[in-house]
Amino acid sequence: MAHDISWKSESFFKDVVARDLTLEGCDSFTIARFNIGKANEKTAGYMSFIYRVSIEVQHGNKDQPPAALTYIVKEKTDQAFGGDLCDILAVFPKEIEMYEKILPAFERLFVDGEPVRFGPKMFKSISAPFTVIVMEDLNRSQYRMREKSFGLPMADVKNILRKLAQFHAASVVYRDTNGAYSDLFSEGVISERTVDALGRHYEFLYSAFVQSLQERNLPKKYLEPLIALDKRLLKACCKAQVVDASEFNVLNHGDVWPNNVMFAPDDLLFLDFQTTSYGSFAVDILYFFITSATEVICDSFEELVQFYYQHLASALQQLRYEKPIPLYTELLQQLKRRGVLMLPPLSEAVAITMTGLTEVSQMEMITSDQPEGVELRALVYNNPSYVSLVDRLIPKLFELGFLDGSNM
C-alpha cells in the first residue's frame, strides 16, 4: 500500500549504496547499521526538511572492510518556513532537473584544463508518494561550511565569484548549444506569481527597515527614493527582473550566500538549486554581494565586479564561446539598472541573519502585529552591527549609482 511506503527505511537506500559504490548486480552487501539524524543544527531548512542518513555497509566479500557512508536527504514539506511556496515555485522539479541533467552537462563543458564541479551528486529522487532528493554528503569529501552566515572575507568572496563566473559562462554556452531552458527556470522567487504570497513578509519587513532609517534621520537624498518603494518593492523587483534579450543573460543560481556554499581546501561547491532562474547575471551578483560580502563591498564593489568580469571572460574563452563577449562597462550598467534587487535581501535576510534568528517561530513572529513581533523587529533593525553596516552601505550604493531613483 502506498501509505506504508517510506524513504526512512534501509530498503530505500539499497540502490543508493549500489550507485555510490559502483557495485555490479552480482556484488552483494548488507546494511548493518542505519540511522537518520539532522543534517546540521536544524532539521528544517527553507522550504524543506534536511536530514543526514548514516549507513554502515557489510560487503558479501568478507575480505573487504565495512564501509561507513552518509547521505543528505531533502524532503518536501509544508511544515518548514516557506514550505507553502514549494509548489508555486516548483522547487523540487527544478532542483531535480538541475542535479540530474543541467549540472552534469555544465561540468562536461570544461574538457580543457582542471575538472570543474558546481554541486554535489544526486543519487536518487522520487516524487510520489512523497518527494525526496538523496544527495552526496560533501562532508565525506572534506567540504565544510564557513562558521559565519554573513560577512565573508575577501578571499572567500573572490573564490565564490570565480566559481560563479564559470557557472554563468557554462550556462550561456549550454543554452547556445541546446536551446532555451525549460519553463521551470523562467522565474525566480520574486515574480508576478509570488508577489501576493510574499508581500506580507517582504513588504512588511521593508516598511520596518525604512522606518528604522527615518528614525535615524538618514539624509533626505537617500531616504526619499527608499520611501518611494514602500509597499511597492516587490513590484519594482519584478520589473527589474524582466529578461531583456539584448543584455547578458545567464542561468542564475538564485540563492548564493554562505549557507549554500561548501568549501574544501582547494575548491568550493554550491548547494540548493531550488530557485534557479534564467535572466540577467545581475540577479546572482547583487544578491551575493548583499547577503555574503556586505562589509567588503563598502570599499571594493567595483574591484569585485571587475574580478567577476575577468573570470567570466576567461571562462567564456575556455569554453570557446562564439559570440562577442560583453564589455565590462555594459555589465556594470546592467548591474546598476537593477540595484533595487539588493533591497529585499538587505532589509530581510541580512537583518535577520545578523541578529541570529533561526527558529521557524521567530521567522513567523517577525511580521506579527503582536507586541512580541514589534519587539522582535526592534531587536532586528536596531541591532548595532546591522545599523552600522547599513548606515555605511546605503550612501555608498547611492554614490556608485546602484540606488539612483531613476533605476527604481
Side-chain angles (χ1 to χ4, degrees):
M1 297 289 290
H3 63 270
D4 294 327
I5 300 173
S6 171
W7 67 265
K8 297 179 180 180
S9 64
E10 295 178 10
S11 60
F12 184 82
F13 285 85
K14 284 276 190 176
D15 56 343
V16 173
V17 170
R19 183 176 178 186
D20 184 15
L21 300 180
T22 60
L23 300 177
E24 300 296 334
C26 58
D27 294 328
S28 63
F29 67 90
T30 58
I31 293 179
R33 184 177 60 84
F34 181 81
N35 180 68
I36 300 173
K38 297 178 180 181
N40 45 45
E41 315 84 58
K42 306 293 179 182
T43 300
Y46 183 67
M47 298 191 287
S48 61
F49 282 165
I50 308 174
Y51 303 88
R52 174 172 281 110
V53 175
S54 303
I55 297 174
E56 183 179 301
V57 172
Q58 297 279 1
H59 293 277
N61 181 349
K62 300 301 182 182
D63 293 332
Q64 288 183 272
L69 308 174
T70 55
Y71 303 99
I72 299 298
V73 177
K74 296 182 74 171
E75 179 183 30
K76 180 182 177 182
T77 177
D78 57 6
Q79 297 176 40
F81 183 76
D84 55 333
L85 290 172
C86 270
D87 291 329
I88 297 175
L89 298 174
V91 297
F92 274 85
K94 182 180 291 190
E95 189 159 34
I96 288 169
E97 183 166 336
M98 285 298 299
Y99 283 124
E100 191 170 64
K101 174 184 174 183
I102 294 178
L103 291 184
F106 284 6
E107 292 164 358
R108 287 194 296 269
L109 291 173
F110 290 87
V111 293
D112 299 329
E114 293 293 320
V116 174
R117 287 187 66 196
F118 293 113
K121 301 172 187 173
M122 183 180 76
F123 290 113
K124 184 174 183 176
S125 68
I126 187 169
S127 300
F130 45 82
T131 302
V132 297
I133 300 174
V134 182
M135 296 181 294
E136 169 188 11
D137 182 1
L138 292 174
N139 281 353
R140 284 168 54 187
S141 303
Q142 305 306 310
Y143 284 86
R144 299 289 185 270
M145 285 185 185
R146 295 299 190 233
E147 292 185 6
K148 287 183 66 177
S149 294
F150 62 92
L152 292 175
M154 178 67 87
D156 284 349
V157 170
K158 287 189 170 181
N159 285 333
I160 292 172
L161 283 175
R162 182 183 293 109
K163 181 61 69 80
L164 194 55
Q166 291 177 315
F167 179 80
H168 287 169
S171 77
V172 172
V173 173
Y174 175 90
R175 187 177 188 273
D176 278 1
T177 303
N178 298 280
Y181 292 99
S182 74
D183 289 342
L184 284 173
F185 304 102
S186 62
E187 56 190 26
V189 173
I190 298 176
S191 70
E192 294 291 348
R193 291 197 309 122
T194 63
V195 164
D196 290 340
L198 295 174
R200 169 68 183 177
H201 184 76
Y202 280 98
E203 298 288 9
F204 198 97
L205 294 184
Y206 183 72
S207 294
F209 168 74
V210 169
Q211 182 180 342
S212 71
L213 299 179
Q214 290 175 295
E215 292 171 352
R216 296 202 301 276
N217 297 313
L218 189 75
K220 186 176 179 180
K221 62 181 179 179
Y222 306 137
L223 194 55
E224 286 187 346
L226 299 177
I227 292 175
L229 288 168
D230 200 8
K231 305 296 190 295
R232 53 175 290 269
L233 176 62
L234 297 190
K235 287 288 187 182
C237 289
C238 288
K239 182 179 177 182
Q241 291 185 122
V242 172
V243 178
D244 182 342
S246 69
E247 293 185 324
F248 183 69
N249 297 303
V250 304
L251 192 66
N252 289 285
H253 175 284
D255 196 15
V256 178
W257 73 300
N259 283 14
N260 282 340
V261 182
M262 293 190 72
F263 296 84
D266 57 355
D267 190 27
L268 64 88
L269 295 175
F270 299 131
L271 307 176
D272 288 353
F273 293 84
Q274 298 181 126
T275 57
T276 308
S277 65
Y278 182 75
S280 171
F281 80 102
V283 172
D284 263 351
I285 296 299
L286 296 177
Y287 183 86
F288 170 62
F289 278 178
I290 288 298
T291 59
S292 313
T294 329
E295 296 163 350
V296 174
I297 62 174
C298 287
D299 297 317
S300 308
F301 202 115
E302 290 194 73
E303 176 190 342
L304 291 172
V305 177
Q306 289 174 343
F307 182 87
Y308 164 82
Y309 177 76
Q310 291 166 2
H311 287 276
L312 175 71
S314 175
L316 288 170
Q317 290 168 352
Q318 180 183 354
L319 298 178
R320 299 179 178 87
Y321 183 54
E322 295 179 352
K323 296 178 181 178
I325 295 174
L327 299 175
Y328 168 75
T329 53
E330 294 172 347
L331 296 194
L332 185 59
Q333 289 305 311
Q334 199 169 326
L335 284 171
K336 290 183 178 181
R337 285 194 292 271
R338 291 170 172 81
V340 68
L341 297 178
M342 292 186 282
L343 294 177
L346 180 61
S347 59
E348 191 251 8
V350 176
I352 289 171
T353 302
M354 291 187 71
T355 311
L357 306 189
T358 58
E359 299 291 342
V360 171
S361 59
Q362 293 174 316
M363 299 296 289
E364 293 171 344
M365 180 57 67
I366 198 170
T367 56
S368 169
D369 292 321
Q370 299 300 313
E372 295 87 350
V374 175
E375 183 179 343
L376 187 57
R377 287 192 295 280
L379 176 69
V380 167
Y381 292 107
N382 293 323
N383 172 9
S385 297
Y386 179 69
V387 167
S388 175
L389 178 64
V390 168
D391 287 356
R392 185 176 172 216
L393 180 64
I394 292 291
K396 186 67 175 180
L397 294 177
F398 272 93
E399 175 190 326
L400 293 171
F402 286 87
L403 292 179
D404 187 315
S406 63
N407 294 338
M408 301 190 293

